[in-house]
Amino acid sequence: MSEKLERTFVAIKPDAVNRGLIGEIITRFEKRGFKIIGMKLLKPTKEIAAKHYEEHYGKPFYESLINFITEGPIVALAIEGINVIDIARKMMGSTNPQEALPGTIRFDFAQIKECNVIHGSDSPESAEREISIYFKPEELFEAKKTPEDYFVEKYGHIE
């Protein structure tokens, strides 16, 4: 895997917000070295949810997905880091928490697939699309430089 600076979208879902897991989940991304460049607490409308999950339209679980994500507030996050899309998804674990590996967010905090506490973009295209649903460009902030960032700028990669 080559190193590339990316942005991804992460949503802490209503079940996790309701259970008070926001700080615990965000801490995992920050401890990994990823930067939060946008964050909002909001209750998605049906229209926002429909845009977010448009690729699932017509599937048997679509309505329950929309109902779940709109039942309470979520925390919408734009996160930046090296290979953040793939790494964040590994940190989240399998969509079905019963198949997730120990130490992943879904293994540690979820019990069933329908209430799996977190969503993350699965590709650069999805990340860009999903970030634009929840954030205006002026709501995203440049990540503060870290020693790792300077190393990447100077040498072009991290060993």
Side-chain angles (χ1 to χ4, degrees):
M1 177 188 309
S2 65
E3 294 85 6
K4 57 188 175 288
L5 186 63
E6 301 175 320
R7 290 181 173 181
T8 195
F9 176 76
V10 170
I12 302 173
K13 294 180 179 180
D15 54 330
V17 172
N18 185 50
R19 291 175 50 208
L21 298 173
I22 296 168
E24 176 80 30
I25 291 170
I26 289 172
T27 296
R28 289 183 181 214
F29 291 107
E30 289 182 320
K31 282 186 175 180
R32 182 66 193 223
F34 296 136
K35 300 297 179 191
I36 308 295
I37 60 167
M39 180 167 59
K40 290 182 180 181
L41 176 70
L42 70 138
K43 186 171 185 274
T45 63
K46 297 271 186 191
E47 294 77 24
I48 288 173
K51 275 187 193 176
H52 184 140
Y53 290 116
E54 68 185 6
E55 71 273 13
H56 298 301
Y57 182 77
K59 295 179 182 173
F61 57 87
Y62 178 77
E63 284 302 319
S64 62
L65 190 60
I66 298 297
N67 290 337
F68 172 63
I69 202 72
T70 59
E71 76 180 19
I74 68 165
V75 175
L77 300 165
I79 301 176
E80 187 174 84
I82 303 294
N83 298 327
V84 70
I85 296 169
D86 288 337
I87 294 170
R89 290 184 61 81
K90 287 176 184 167
M91 291 172 66
M92 289 178 221
S94 176
T95 302
N96 183 346
Q98 295 178 23
E99 297 171 1
L101 295 175
T104 63
I105 293 167
R106 289 183 176 131
F107 179 89
D108 290 348
F109 301 122
Q111 296 178 29
I112 61 172
K113 187 176 182 177
E114 293 76 16
C115 298
N116 66 7
V117 305
I118 196 163
H119 163 84
S121 301
D122 63 1
S123 68
E125 297 76 24
S126 293
E128 185 177 327
R129 184 181 69 77
E130 292 173 357
I131 289 170
S132 74
I133 291 169
Y134 292 91
F135 296 96
K136 297 174 188 165
E138 63 269 18
E139 295 174 322
L140 300 174
F141 299 91
E142 179 118 0
K144 187 175 180 181
K145 300 288 183 193
T146 65
E148 293 85 3
D149 295 331
Y150 290 114
F151 187 82
V152 170
E153 286 176 8
K154 186 169 182 172
Y155 299 104
H157 66 283
I158 296 176
E159 295 293 328

